[in-house]
Amino acid sequence: MIITIDGPAAAGKGTLASALAERYHLAYFDTGMLYRAVGLDMILQGYSPEDEEKAEKIAQSLTFGKMIKLSEHPDFRSQIGGDAASKVSALPKVRSALLKMQQDFSLNPVFADGTPANGVVYDGRDTGTVVCPQADIKFFVVASPEVRARRRYKEFAAKGINISYEQVLADLLARDKRDSERSTAPLKPAPDAILLDTSGMSIQQEIDSAVKIIDKHSEA
Ligand code: DC
């Protein structure tokens, strides 16, 4: 089974994707990590994240091992890392360099320890439209900007990252605008995606709604 989960930043994609992967014994592919790895590597090497030629080279030489290593860097999940990831993810050459790695994963999905899995839950932009248009179920998870900013703010606070709620909201709105207006992989649901608005939902309610939809789909 292949499930894709797309939607704006902090809508609850990651939480849902990992919960579904666990419930259905599927591998979990957080595709944002690829863009974060490329973006962070660009910064660490002193390049601008908008330098498409350099970013393409870094994307072409990215491996899962290198991505995991970069994910241990403190800026991998910080605002700086997120911003760099957002910028490199808007570069068409970077997206095409990372496409095969994502598509190949569905042919031989594996768990984090390398054991084979029966399928995969993809988390990320364009996974339902470009990476895996043949996916069995596609979710497009949304929530209001205020709800998403509150969730992101709590995540940052838990990690000891010092940033105000107002700043998180402003950054999120700027990111949404850039993501939906860009010509490469704009933030847009696949025509056959199921819209899941998590604004008023707890994490458990979000998971339960998705499970109900998947189980109904599997019975059909
Ligand atoms: O999901 P995330 O915040 O870790 O993603 C980091 C950035 O990469 C974010 O700006 C969205 C972008 N991204 C993308 O363009 N395509 C994907 N498949 C995954 C993430």
Coordinates of all heavy atoms in Angstrom, one line a residue, residues 80-153:
I80 N 16.3 28.5 10.4 CA 17.3 28.7 9.4 C 17.3 27.5 8.4 O 17.3 27.7 7.2 CB 18.7 28.8 10.0 CG1 18.7 30.1 10.9 CG2 19.8 28.8 9.0 CD1 20.0 30.2 11.8
G81 N 17.3 26.3 8.9 CA 17.2 25.1 8.1 C 16.0 25.0 7.3 O 16.0 24.7 6.1
G82 N 14.8 25.4 7.9 CA 13.6 25.3 7.2 C 13.5 26.3 6.0 O 13.0 26.1 5.0
D83 N 14.1 27.5 6.3 CA 14.1 28.5 5.3 C 15.0 28.1 4.1 O 14.6 28.3 2.9 CB 14.7 29.8 5.9 CG 14.4 31.0 5.0 OD1 13.2 31.2 4.7 OD2 15.3 31.7 4.6
A84 N 16.2 27.5 4.4 CA 17.0 27.1 3.3 C 16.4 25.9 2.5 O 16.4 25.9 1.3 CB 18.4 26.6 3.9
A85 N 15.7 25.0 3.2 CA 15.0 23.9 2.6 C 13.9 24.5 1.7 O 13.8 24.0 0.5 CB 14.4 23.0 3.6
S86 N 13.2 25.4 2.1 CA 12.1 26.0 1.3 C 12.7 26.6 0.0 O 12.1 26.5 -1.0 CB 11.4 27.1 2.2 OG 10.5 27.8 1.4
K87 N 13.8 27.3 0.2 CA 14.4 27.9 -1.0 C 15.0 26.9 -2.0 O 14.7 27.0 -3.2 CB 15.6 28.9 -0.6 CG 15.0 30.1 0.0 CD 16.0 31.1 0.5 CE 15.4 32.4 1.1 NZ 16.2 33.0 2.1
V88 N 15.7 25.9 -1.5 CA 16.2 24.9 -2.5 C 15.1 24.1 -3.1 O 15.2 23.6 -4.2 CB 17.3 24.0 -1.9 CG1 18.5 24.7 -1.5 CG2 16.8 23.1 -0.8
S89 N 14.0 23.9 -2.3 CA 12.9 23.1 -2.9 C 12.1 23.8 -4.0 O 11.3 23.2 -4.7 CB 11.9 22.7 -1.7 OG 11.1 23.8 -1.4
A90 N 12.4 25.1 -4.2 CA 11.7 25.8 -5.3 C 12.6 25.8 -6.5 O 12.2 26.3 -7.6 CB 11.5 27.3 -4.9
L91 N 13.7 25.1 -6.5 CA 14.6 25.0 -7.7 C 14.3 23.8 -8.5 O 14.5 22.6 -8.0 CB 16.1 25.0 -7.2 CG 16.5 26.2 -6.3 CD1 17.9 26.0 -5.8 CD2 16.4 27.5 -7.1
P92 N 13.9 23.9 -9.7 CA 13.5 22.7 -10.5 C 14.6 21.7 -10.6 O 14.3 20.5 -10.6 CB 13.2 23.3 -11.9 CG 12.9 24.8 -11.7 CD 13.6 25.2 -10.4
K93 N 15.8 22.1 -10.7 CA 16.9 21.1 -10.9 C 17.1 20.3 -9.6 O 17.5 19.2 -9.7 CB 18.2 21.8 -11.3 CG 18.2 22.3 -12.7 CD 19.5 23.0 -13.1 CE 19.4 23.5 -14.5 NZ 20.6 24.3 -14.9
V94 N 16.9 20.9 -8.5 CA 17.0 20.2 -7.2 C 15.9 19.2 -7.1 O 16.1 18.0 -6.8 CB 16.9 21.2 -6.0 CG1 16.8 20.4 -4.7 CG2 18.2 22.0 -6.0
R95 N 14.6 19.6 -7.5 CA 13.5 18.7 -7.4 C 13.7 17.5 -8.3 O 13.5 16.3 -8.0 CB 12.2 19.4 -7.8 CG 11.8 20.5 -6.9 CD 10.4 20.8 -6.9 NE 9.6 19.8 -6.1 CZ 9.4 19.9 -4.8 NH1 9.8 21.0 -4.1 NH2 8.7 19.0 -4.2
S96 N 14.2 17.7 -9.6 CA 14.4 16.6 -10.4 C 15.6 15.7 -10.0 O 15.5 14.5 -10.1 CB 14.5 17.0 -11.9 OG 15.6 17.7 -12.1
A97 N 16.6 16.3 -9.4 CA 17.7 15.5 -8.9 C 17.2 14.6 -7.7 O 17.8 13.5 -7.5 CB 18.8 16.4 -8.4
L98 N 16.2 15.0 -7.0 CA 15.8 14.2 -5.8 C 14.6 13.3 -6.1 O 14.2 12.5 -5.3 CB 15.4 15.1 -4.7 CG 16.5 16.0 -4.1 CD1 16.0 16.9 -3.0 CD2 17.6 15.1 -3.5
L99 N 14.1 13.4 -7.3 CA 12.9 12.6 -7.7 C 13.1 11.1 -7.7 O 12.3 10.3 -7.1 CB 12.4 13.1 -9.0 CG 11.1 12.5 -9.5 CD1 9.9 12.7 -8.5 CD2 10.6 13.0 -10.9
K100 N 14.2 10.7 -8.4 CA 14.4 9.2 -8.5 C 14.6 8.5 -7.2 O 14.0 7.5 -6.9 CB 15.7 9.0 -9.4 CG 15.8 7.6 -9.9 CD 16.9 7.4 -10.9 CE 16.9 6.0 -11.4 NZ 17.0 5.0 -10.5
M101 N 15.3 9.2 -6.3 CA 15.5 8.6 -4.9 C 14.2 8.4 -4.2 O 14.0 7.4 -3.6 CB 16.3 9.7 -4.1 CG 17.2 9.2 -3.1 SD 18.2 10.6 -2.5 CE 18.6 10.0 -0.9
Q102 N 13.2 9.3 -4.4 CA 11.9 9.2 -3.8 C 11.1 8.1 -4.5 O 10.4 7.3 -3.9 CB 11.2 10.5 -3.9 CG 11.9 11.6 -3.1 CD 11.1 12.9 -3.3 OE1 10.1 13.2 -2.7 NE2 11.7 13.8 -4.1
Q103 N 11.2 8.1 -5.9 CA 10.4 7.1 -6.6 C 10.9 5.7 -6.4 O 10.1 4.7 -6.2 CB 10.3 7.4 -8.1 CG 9.5 8.7 -8.3 CD 9.4 9.1 -9.8 OE1 10.4 8.9 -10.5 NE2 8.3 9.6 -10.2
D104 N 12.2 5.5 -6.4 CA 12.8 4.2 -6.2 C 12.4 3.6 -4.9 O 12.3 2.4 -4.7 CB 14.4 4.3 -6.3 CG 14.8 4.5 -7.7 OD1 14.0 4.4 -8.6 OD2 16.0 4.7 -7.9
F105 N 12.2 4.4 -3.9 CA 11.9 3.9 -2.5 C 10.6 3.1 -2.5 O 10.5 2.1 -1.8 CB 11.8 5.1 -1.5 CG 11.8 4.6 -0.1 CD1 12.9 4.3 0.6 CD2 10.6 4.5 0.6 CE1 12.9 3.9 1.9 CE2 10.5 4.1 1.9 CZ 11.7 3.8 2.6
S106 N 9.6 3.5 -3.4 CA 8.4 2.7 -3.4 C 8.5 1.3 -4.0 O 7.7 0.5 -3.8 CB 7.3 3.5 -4.1 OG 7.5 3.5 -5.5
L107 N 9.6 1.2 -4.8 CA 9.9 -0.2 -5.4 C 10.4 -1.1 -4.4 O 10.1 -2.3 -4.4 CB 10.8 0.0 -6.6 CG 10.5 1.0 -7.6 CD1 11.6 1.1 -8.7 CD2 9.1 0.6 -8.3
N108 N 11.2 -0.6 -3.5 CA 11.8 -1.5 -2.4 C 11.8 -0.8 -1.1 O 12.8 -0.4 -0.5 CB 13.3 -1.8 -2.7 CG 13.4 -2.8 -3.8 OD1 12.9 -3.9 -3.7 ND2 14.1 -2.4 -4.9
P109 N 10.5 -0.5 -0.5 CA 10.5 0.2 0.7 C 11.1 -0.6 1.9 O 10.9 -1.8 2.0 CB 9.0 0.4 1.0 CG 8.3 -0.5 0.1 CD 9.2 -1.0 -1.0
V110 N 11.8 0.1 2.7 CA 12.4 -0.5 3.9 C 12.2 0.4 5.2 O 12.0 1.6 5.1 CB 14.0 -0.7 3.7 CG1 14.3 -1.8 2.8 CG2 14.6 0.6 3.3
F111 N 12.2 -0.3 6.3 CA 12.1 0.4 7.6 C 13.4 1.0 7.9 O 14.4 0.7 7.2 CB 11.6 -0.6 8.7 CG 10.2 -1.1 8.6 CD1 10.0 -2.4 8.2 CD2 9.2 -0.2 8.8 CE1 8.7 -2.9 8.0 CE2 7.8 -0.7 8.6 CZ 7.6 -2.0 8.2
A112 N 13.5 1.8 9.0 CA 14.7 2.5 9.3 C 15.9 1.5 9.6 O 17.0 1.9 9.3 CB 14.5 3.4 10.5
D113 N 15.5 0.3 10.0 CA 16.6 -0.7 10.3 C 17.0 -1.5 9.1 O 17.8 -2.4 9.1 CB 16.2 -1.6 11.5 CG 15.0 -2.5 11.1 OD1 14.5 -2.4 10.0 OD2 14.6 -3.3 12.0
G114 N 16.4 -1.2 7.9 CA 16.8 -1.8 6.7 C 15.9 -3.0 6.3 O 16.0 -3.6 5.2
T115 N 15.0 -3.5 7.2 CA 14.1 -4.6 6.9 C 13.0 -4.2 5.9 O 12.6 -3.1 6.0 CB 13.5 -5.3 8.1 OG1 12.8 -4.3 8.8 CG2 14.6 -5.9 9.0
P116 N 12.7 -5.1 5.0 CA 11.7 -4.7 3.9 C 10.3 -4.4 4.5 O 9.9 -5.1 5.5 CB 11.6 -5.9 3.0 CG 12.7 -6.8 3.4 CD 13.1 -6.5 4.8
A117 N 9.6 -3.5 3.9 CA 8.2 -3.1 4.3 C 7.3 -3.4 3.1 O 7.7 -3.5 2.0 CB 8.2 -1.7 4.7
N118 N 6.0 -3.5 3.4 CA 5.0 -3.8 2.4 C 4.5 -2.6 1.7 O 3.6 -2.7 0.8 CB 3.8 -4.5 3.0 CG 4.1 -6.0 3.2 OD1 4.9 -6.6 2.4 ND2 3.5 -6.6 4.2
G119 N 5.0 -1.5 2.0 CA 4.6 -0.2 1.3 C 5.2 0.9 2.1 O 6.0 0.8 2.9
V120 N 4.7 2.1 1.7 CA 5.3 3.3 2.3 C 4.2 4.4 2.5 O 3.3 4.5 1.7 CB 6.5 3.8 1.4 CG1 6.1 3.9 -0.1 CG2 7.0 5.1 1.8
V121 N 4.5 5.2 3.5 CA 3.7 6.5 3.7 C 4.7 7.6 3.3 O 5.7 7.7 4.0 CB 3.2 6.7 5.1 CG1 2.4 7.9 5.2 CG2 2.4 5.5 5.6
Y122 N 4.4 8.3 2.3 CA 5.2 9.5 1.9 C 4.6 10.7 2.5 O 3.4 11.0 2.5 CB 5.1 9.7 0.4 CG 5.9 8.8 -0.5 CD1 5.4 7.7 -1.1 CD2 7.3 9.1 -0.7 CE1 6.1 6.9 -1.9 CE2 8.1 8.2 -1.5 CZ 7.5 7.2 -2.1 OH 8.2 6.4 -2.9
D123 N 5.5 11.5 3.1 CA 5.1 12.8 3.7 C 5.8 13.9 2.9 O 7.0 13.9 2.9 CB 5.6 12.7 5.2 CG 5.6 14.1 5.8 OD1 5.2 15.1 5.2 OD2 6.0 14.1 7.0
G124 N 5.0 14.7 2.2 CA 5.7 15.9 1.5 C 5.0 16.3 0.3 O 4.1 15.7 -0.3
R125 N 5.4 17.5 -0.1 CA 4.9 18.2 -1.2 C 5.0 17.4 -2.5 O 6.1 16.8 -2.7 CB 5.7 19.5 -1.4 CG 5.4 20.5 -2.5 CD 4.2 21.3 -2.2 NE 4.2 21.5 -0.7 CZ 4.8 22.5 -0.1 NH1 5.6 23.3 -0.8 NH2 4.8 22.6 1.2
D126 N 4.1 17.4 -3.3 CA 4.0 16.8 -4.6 C 4.2 15.2 -4.6 O 4.5 14.6 -5.6 CB 4.9 17.5 -5.6 CG 6.4 17.1 -5.6 OD1 6.8 16.3 -4.7 OD2 7.2 17.5 -6.5
T127 N 4.2 14.6 -3.4 CA 4.3 13.2 -3.4 C 3.1 12.5 -4.1 O 3.3 11.4 -4.7 CB 4.5 12.6 -1.9 OG1 3.4 13.1 -1.1 CG2 5.8 13.0 -1.4
G128 N 1.9 13.1 -3.9 CA 0.7 12.5 -4.6 C 0.6 12.9 -6.0 O -0.2 12.3 -6.8
T129 N 1.3 14.0 -6.4 CA 1.1 14.4 -7.8 C 2.3 14.0 -8.7 O 2.1 13.5 -9.8 CB 1.0 16.0 -7.9 OG1 2.0 16.5 -7.1 CG2 -0.3 16.4 -7.4
V130 N 3.5 14.1 -8.2 CA 4.7 13.9 -9.1 C 5.4 12.6 -8.7 O 5.7 11.7 -9.5 CB 5.7 15.1 -9.0 CG1 6.9 14.8 -9.8 CG2 5.0 16.3 -9.5
V131 N 5.7 12.4 -7.4 CA 6.5 11.3 -6.9 C 5.7 10.0 -7.1 O 6.3 9.0 -7.6 CB 6.9 11.5 -5.4 CG1 7.7 10.3 -4.9 CG2 7.8 12.7 -5.2
C132 N 4.5 10.0 -6.6 CA 3.7 8.7 -6.6 C 2.3 8.9 -7.0 O 1.4 8.7 -6.2 CB 3.8 8.1 -5.2 SG 4.5 6.5 -5.3
P133 N 2.1 9.3 -8.3 CA 0.7 9.6 -8.7 C -0.2 8.3 -8.6 O -1.4 8.4 -8.6 CB 0.8 10.1 -10.1 CG 2.2 9.9 -10.5 CD 3.0 9.6 -9.3
Q134 N 0.5 7.1 -8.6 CA -0.3 5.9 -8.5 C -0.6 5.4 -7.1 O -1.1 4.3 -6.9 CB 0.6 4.8 -9.2 CG 1.7 4.2 -8.4 CD 3.0 5.0 -8.4 OE1 3.0 6.2 -8.7 NE2 4.1 4.4 -8.1
A135 N -0.3 6.3 -6.1 CA -0.6 6.0 -4.7 C -2.0 5.5 -4.5 O -2.9 5.9 -5.2 CB -0.3 7.2 -3.8
D136 N -2.2 4.6 -3.5 CA -3.5 4.1 -3.2 C -4.4 5.1 -2.6 O -5.6 5.2 -2.9 CB -3.4 2.9 -2.3 CG -2.6 1.8 -2.9 OD1 -3.1 1.2 -3.9 OD2 -1.4 1.6 -2.5
I137 N -3.8 5.9 -1.6 CA -4.6 6.9 -1.0 C -3.8 8.2 -0.8 O -2.6 8.1 -0.4 CB -5.1 6.4 0.4 CG1 -5.9 5.2 0.3 CG2 -5.9 7.5 1.2 CD1 -6.3 4.5 1.6
K138 N -4.4 9.3 -1.1 CA -3.7 10.6 -1.0 C -4.4 11.5 0.0 O -5.6 11.7 -0.2 CB -3.6 11.3 -2.4 CG -2.9 10.4 -3.4 CD -3.0 11.0 -4.8 CE -2.5 10.1 -5.8 NZ -2.6 10.7 -7.2
F139 N -3.7 12.0 0.9 CA -4.3 13.0 1.8 C -3.7 14.3 1.6 O -2.5 14.5 1.3 CB -4.1 12.6 3.3 CG -4.9 11.4 3.8 CD1 -4.2 10.2 4.0 CD2 -6.2 11.5 4.1 CE1 -5.0 9.1 4.4 CE2 -6.9 10.4 4.5 CZ -6.3 9.2 4.7
F140 N -4.6 15.4 1.7 CA -4.1 16.8 1.7 C -4.5 17.3 3.1 O -5.7 17.6 3.3 CB -4.6 17.5 0.5 CG -3.9 18.8 0.3 CD1 -2.7 18.9 -0.4 CD2 -4.4 20.0 0.8 CE1 -2.0 20.1 -0.6 CE2 -3.8 21.2 0.6 CZ -2.6 21.3 -0.1
V141 N -3.6 17.5 4.0 CA -3.9 17.9 5.3 C -3.7 19.4 5.5 O -2.7 20.0 5.1 CB -2.9 17.2 6.3 CG1 -3.2 17.5 7.8 CG2 -2.9 15.7 6.1
V142 N -4.8 20.0 6.0 CA -4.7 21.5 6.1 C -5.2 21.9 7.6 O -5.7 21.1 8.3 CB -5.7 22.2 5.1 CG1 -5.2 22.1 3.7 CG2 -7.1 21.8 5.3
A143 N -4.8 23.1 8.0 CA -5.3 23.7 9.2 C -5.1 25.2 9.1 O -4.3 25.6 8.3 CB -4.4 23.1 10.4
S144 N -5.8 25.9 9.9 CA -5.7 27.4 9.8 C -4.3 27.9 10.1 O -3.6 27.2 10.9 CB -6.7 28.1 10.7 OG -6.2 27.9 12.0
P145 N -3.9 29.0 9.5 CA -2.5 29.5 9.8 C -2.2 29.7 11.3 O -1.2 29.3 11.8 CB -2.4 30.8 9.1 CG -3.5 30.8 8.1 CD -4.6 29.9 8.6
E146 N -3.3 30.1 12.1 CA -3.1 30.4 13.5 C -2.9 29.0 14.3 O -2.0 28.9 15.1 CB -4.3 31.1 14.1 CG -4.5 32.5 13.7 CD -5.0 32.7 12.2 OE1 -5.5 31.7 11.7 OE2 -4.8 33.7 11.6
V147 N -3.6 28.0 13.9 CA -3.5 26.7 14.5 C -2.1 26.1 14.2 O -1.4 25.6 15.1 CB -4.6 25.7 14.0 CG1 -4.3 24.3 14.4 CG2 -5.9 26.1 14.6
R148 N -1.7 26.3 12.9 CA -0.4 25.7 12.5 C 0.8 26.5 13.2 O 1.7 25.9 13.7 CB -0.2 25.8 11.0 CG -1.2 24.8 10.3 CD -0.9 24.7 8.8 NE -1.4 25.9 8.1 CZ -0.6 26.7 7.4 NH1 0.6 26.4 7.2 NH2 -1.2 27.7 6.7
A149 N 0.6 27.8 13.3 CA 1.7 28.6 14.0 C 1.8 28.2 15.5 O 2.9 28.1 16.0 CB 1.3 30.1 13.9
R150 N 0.6 28.0 16.1 CA 0.6 27.6 17.5 C 1.3 26.3 17.7 O 2.2 26.1 18.6 CB -0.8 27.5 18.1 CG -0.9 28.0 19.5 CD -2.4 28.2 20.0 NE -3.2 29.1 19.2 CZ -4.3 28.8 18.6 NH1 -4.9 27.6 18.8 NH2 -5.0 29.6 17.9
R151 N 1.1 25.3 16.8 CA 1.7 24.0 16.9 C 3.2 24.1 16.7 O 4.0 23.6 17.4 CB 1.2 23.1 15.8 CG -0.2 22.6 16.0 CD -0.7 21.8 14.9 NE -2.1 21.4 15.0 CZ -2.9 21.0 14.0 NH1 -2.3 20.8 12.8 NH2 -4.1 20.7 14.2
R152 N 3.6 24.9 15.7 CA 5.1 25.1 15.4 C 5.8 25.8 16.6 O 6.9 25.4 16.9 CB 5.2 25.9 14.1 CG 6.2 25.9 13.1 CD 7.2 24.9 12.7 NE 6.9 23.6 12.2 CZ 7.1 23.2 11.0 NH1 7.5 24.0 10.1 NH2 6.8 21.9 10.7
Y153 N 5.1 26.8 17.1 CA 5.6 27.6 18.2 C 5.9 26.6 19.4 O 6.9 26.7 20.1 CB 4.6 28.7 18.6 CG 5.0 29.4 19.9 CD1 6.1 30.3 19.9 CD2 4.3 29.2 21.1 CE1 6.4 30.9 21.1 CE2 4.6 29.8 22.2 CZ 5.7 30.7 22.3 OH 6.1 31.3 23.4

